[in-house]
Amino acid sequence: MSRKKRSPIHFFLLFIVMLVLIWALIKPEEGYRVLLMEVSPSVLVLIFLISRYNHFRLTTVSYVIIAVLVILTFIGGHYSYAKVPLFTWIKDYFDLQRNHYDRFGHFLKGMMVIVIIEILLRKTVLLKSKTTNFIALCITLAIGAFYEIIEWASTKIGKEGKATKDFLGMQGDIWDSQKDMTLLLAGSILSLFFFTKILYKGLEKLDNE
């Protein structure tokens, strides 16, 4: 593969992400244990993407989606998902029963389906089709379900201490996992409607470079 020019947009996204990470590391509201539990997966993803940048470069739309989702987890890790100030204000203003930042996060994580479609199109024999979109949707839901299993396992390993509860962000809702998965599904379906064509244009541009 020929060496492609490095995009300033990609470096700008990385710069913003690193600024947010540095901010998140400064006196996290619920301590460094909760922060570590929340941000570790995103940090590992970043390290992997940076290490592979010159060998397998994603489209800009995929990098934007990843940046948004990573920043989302950094904010949640800094405050804990149940205590993000903006959504606490929304909770109080509208007299809601809980802080919905966690719900909002799971909805936005549905955008991950676009990144998965790109990987499938570029790394497998699959072509642009509704079947490929459906497979990507299933993979997205599988990743979401796996994360819910990790959260459940943390209650057994962590003996449901304060850090574990802050990590889970259930806020007393026994149907938290089911609602999270429903919002992930809704976010994924909407992303397929609104972002698939943008991804295809990005792939065409990447092929022409």
Side-chain angles (χ1 to χ4, degrees):
M1 184 181 84
S2 60
R3 200 174 187 85
K4 296 182 175 67
K5 288 181 63 177
R6 297 181 178 183
S7 170
I9 298 176
H10 300 168
F11 281 89
F12 175 73
L13 289 171
L14 179 61
F15 175 71
I16 296 299
V17 166
M18 294 308 297
L19 280 183
V20 178
L21 176 59
I22 292 170
W23 164 80
L25 291 170
I26 300 173
K27 296 182 180 179
E29 296 288 329
E30 298 299 332
Y32 285 99
R33 185 180 176 188
V34 172
L35 176 69
L36 182 63
M37 293 168 73
E38 296 289 3
V39 308
S40 292
S42 293
V43 171
L44 291 175
V45 168
L46 282 177
I47 293 172
F48 176 77
L49 290 175
I50 293 170
S51 68
R52 298 296 299 169
Y53 185 75
N54 290 325
H55 304 283
F56 182 69
R57 192 169 306 176
L58 296 170
T59 58
T60 297
V61 64
S62 286
Y63 281 129
V64 169
I65 289 171
I66 292 168
V68 169
L69 299 184
V70 166
I71 288 172
L72 190 80
T73 61
F74 290 168
I75 294 173
H78 180 80
Y79 292 110
S80 89
Y81 279 80
K83 298 177 182 178
V84 173
L86 174 60
F87 284 78
T88 296
W89 175 83
I90 293 173
K91 168 182 173 289
D92 294 337
Y93 187 83
F94 291 100
D95 196 25
L96 303 176
Q97 294 184 344
R98 59 171 285 160
N99 181 306
H100 283 286
Y101 184 75
D102 183 51
R103 300 269 193 259
F104 174 71
H106 280 86
F107 177 77
L108 286 188
K109 286 173 185 175
M111 293 190 297
M112 181 170 52
V113 71
I114 301 300
V115 182
I116 294 172
I117 289 174
E118 176 174 351
I119 294 171
L120 290 176
L121 291 176
R122 294 176 62 188
K123 287 296 186 178
T124 72
V125 297
L126 292 171
L127 303 174
K128 298 175 185 177
S129 66
K130 292 181 181 179
T131 300
T132 300
N133 292 350
F134 178 72
I135 292 172
L137 177 62
C138 291
I139 294 173
T140 302
L141 293 176
I143 292 172
F146 180 68
Y147 196 77
E148 295 295 333
I149 292 172
I150 291 176
E151 288 186 341
W152 167 78
S154 73
T155 67
K156 303 304 178 182
I157 298 172
K159 298 181 181 179
E160 299 191 48
K162 185 178 184 301
T164 301
K165 290 179 180 178
D166 288 333
F167 170 61
L168 287 172
M170 291 177 65
Q171 301 182 63
D173 188 351
I174 61 172
W175 300 108
D176 186 71
S177 294
Q178 289 83 351
K179 292 175 181 177
D180 287 347
M181 289 300 298
T182 300
L183 285 168
L184 178 63
L185 174 61
S188 298
I189 292 172
L190 287 175
S191 295
L192 288 174
F193 277 110
F194 290 104
F195 299 127
T196 305
K197 289 183 179 180
I198 299 174
L199 172 64
Y200 290 164
K201 289 181 180 178
L203 288 172
E204 291 174 4
K205 182 179 178 182
L206 201 62
D207 289 337
N208 294 329
E209 289 181 352

